Amino acid sequence: GLEDIRNLRMLQFARSGSWGTFELRVDEIAAVPGPAGEEIPQPVQPEVARSFTVAPDFGSEGDTALAQVGVNLGHPPTVVENLDREAGAWAFGFVSDLGPTTVRVQLADYFDSRKEAYNLDLLNKHLQWIESCRCKPLVCLAPPQVPLTDTARKQRLYSVFVSAVMDTAKRGAQLKSQRYYEIFDEPLVSGGFTDVEHVVAAYNSLADLVAAADPRAVIGGPGFAAAFGEQVMAFLKGAQRLDFLSVHFYGTHNVLT
């Protein structure tokens, strides 16, 4: 009901390869009888529609549901580097039409494992392109994946990661627009952490650094691979600064968990 979705903030991201094929699945449709004696017109030429567009307006009966569809920009090279003017113009127009939606990029996509360094200039170029589309950039901050057994390299790269996070947030603070930061990306299955307690501790530390570097930042996370109740509740209890909660769904999540 409307009460269940009141003030809900939901953002559904789509992979860049499926930008033109968004699909909405309805789990249940209920028919409600109208006033007594009202005749329901029958279609003259009934036909099965393969697809249709729905624009629900929850605000007409209650508070507005804060829901939207966002997109992932994808791994570099992205559409921003596309030398085909027509393709570049199409991408710009498509993303602009979604504005002011959120466009997500991952800091890890700009990491060069050979140099053990981040290409923050390219990242900043992409963030500026997103802002030029009248959209809100969301930067997913996740460290490079390193085997747990390689402790020395893991610590070294995490230090490089933290420096990149601070630099990215400082650049964001110099702009007029507000940036979103999602701290971590499936931290319990990426090899970065072994339990929620360590995720919470690292999240709070990074959230403090981002907030200090960019006071206007919108900060959230942790991008759990599934919304398992025990993990989510443990994170919610321990997170000190949380503007939004992010979880991933892959079509197999059981709502009872």
Side-chain angles (χ1 to χ4, degrees):
L2 289 173
E3 193 63 34
D4 296 328
I5 62 172
R6 188 183 299 272
N7 295 326
L8 172 67
R9 294 180 181 271
M10 179 183 69
L11 181 62
Q12 172 66 50
F13 286 105
R15 293 184 180 277
S16 58
S18 61
W19 283 6
T21 57
F22 294 121
E23 182 176 318
L24 173 68
R25 184 176 67 188
V26 179
D27 295 322
E28 180 180 355
I29 297 178
V32 181
E38 181 180 0
E39 183 177 351
I40 301 177
Q42 298 296 321
V44 178
Q45 294 180 338
E47 60 182 37
V48 179
R50 296 186 61 184
S51 64
F52 58 92
T53 300
V54 178
D57 182 10
F58 298 109
S60 62
E61 298 185 47
D63 291 342
T64 302
L66 305 175
Q68 61 180 263
V69 173
V71 295
N72 283 291
L73 189 59
H75 191 286
T78 68
V79 292
V80 182
E81 286 79 46
N82 198 317
L83 298 179
D84 186 329
R85 287 190 175 183
E86 184 176 349
W90 175 87
F92 181 85
F94 178 86
V95 176
S96 296
D97 286 344
L98 293 176
T101 192
T102 305
V103 180
R104 182 175 181 263
V105 297
Q106 294 182 280
L107 179 61
D109 287 341
Y110 299 85
F111 179 71
D112 187 332
S113 59
R114 295 171 300 177
K115 299 179 180 179
E116 295 191 353
Y118 291 86
N119 189 344
L120 297 183
D121 289 336
L122 181 60
L123 170 62
N124 197 55
K125 175 184 177 181
H126 290 169
L127 294 176
Q128 290 177 345
W129 182 85
I130 293 170
E131 291 168 335
S132 72
C133 295
R134 300 179 297 106
C135 292
K136 298 173 290 187
L138 183 149
V139 186
C140 177
L141 307 173
Q145 295 188 17
V146 181
L148 291 174
T149 54
D150 194 347
T151 305
R153 187 165 188 262
K154 180 180 178 181
Q155 292 178 345
R156 183 173 69 254
L157 293 187
Y158 195 83
S159 177
V160 174
F161 161 72
V162 171
S163 297
V165 169
M166 294 179 62
D167 194 347
T168 301
K170 288 178 180 178
R171 294 189 185 197
Q174 298 173 0
L175 302 174
K176 295 181 179 180
S177 60
Q178 190 176 45
R179 286 184 176 176
Y180 290 64
Y181 297 90
E182 178 189 20
I183 298 179
F184 299 140
D185 180 39
E186 303 187 357
L188 295 177
V189 299
S190 62
F193 301 92
T194 56
D195 53 59
V196 179
E197 288 72 21
H198 285 87
V199 172
V200 170
Y203 171 89
N204 286 333
S205 178
L206 285 175
D208 287 343
L209 291 176
V210 172
D214 185 359
R216 296 179 302 144
V218 180
I219 305 170
F224 282 138
F228 293 117
E230 184 177 348
Q231 294 178 357
V232 171
M233 292 307 299
F235 178 79
L236 290 177
K237 290 179 180 178
Q240 298 172 359
R241 161 75 182 269
L242 186 67
D243 297 325
F244 64 89
L245 173 70
S246 63
V247 294
H248 299 172
F249 292 93
Y250 295 99
T252 57
H253 180 67
N254 186 334
V255 293
L256 299 180
T257 59

